[in-house]
Amino acid sequence: MCRNITTLRGLEPHATDDEIEAAARQYVRKVTGVQQLSDATREPFERAVAEIAHITAHLLDALPERRRPPTTVPPLRRPEVQARIAAREAAAG
């Protein structure tokens, strides 16, 4: 398992679309080795991310509830990551 992909099943509140997409993006990066998108890789990479995110959302919906929540907090829920995202959005403005 890729260390950067966070367990999403069992989160309270449930995993968001952004969290599911982030996990899909990390998975596609890992299996393809693509870290920087180029004109040649952008379309197939983004299509794969969208498809995997879609399948992941369906999988999470189909699985029964977990008895215990995951032991790690997803990155998008961590305050320091939220602060970085807010700063980046403010700078892009």
Side-chain angles (χ1 to χ4, degrees):
M1 164 78 73
C2 179
R3 289 179 289 184
N4 294 332
I5 298 174
T6 303
T7 301
L8 299 177
R9 181 173 164 233
L11 293 177
E12 286 301 328
H14 291 292
T16 65
D17 290 342
D18 288 342
E19 289 168 329
I20 292 170
E21 181 185 337
R25 189 167 299 282
Q26 286 293 58
Y27 173 79
V28 174
R29 279 189 183 133
K30 185 69 167 187
V31 299
T32 64
V34 173
Q35 298 301 313
Q36 296 281 2
L37 296 178
S38 67
D39 290 340
T41 61
R42 180 170 280 103
E43 194 276 328
F45 184 94
E46 294 297 340
R47 184 176 61 240
V49 169
E51 290 175 6
I52 290 168
H54 179 78
I55 291 166
T56 300
H58 284 287
L59 174 61
L60 292 173
D61 287 342
L63 291 172
E65 293 293 322
R66 282 181 67 147
R67 293 176 192 220
R68 291 186 220 172
T71 57
T72 59
V73 176
L76 293 179
R77 295 186 183 198
R78 296 178 188 155
E80 65 275 12
V81 175
Q82 286 291 327
R84 281 199 314 262
I85 291 169
R88 187 172 39 225
E89 289 174 354

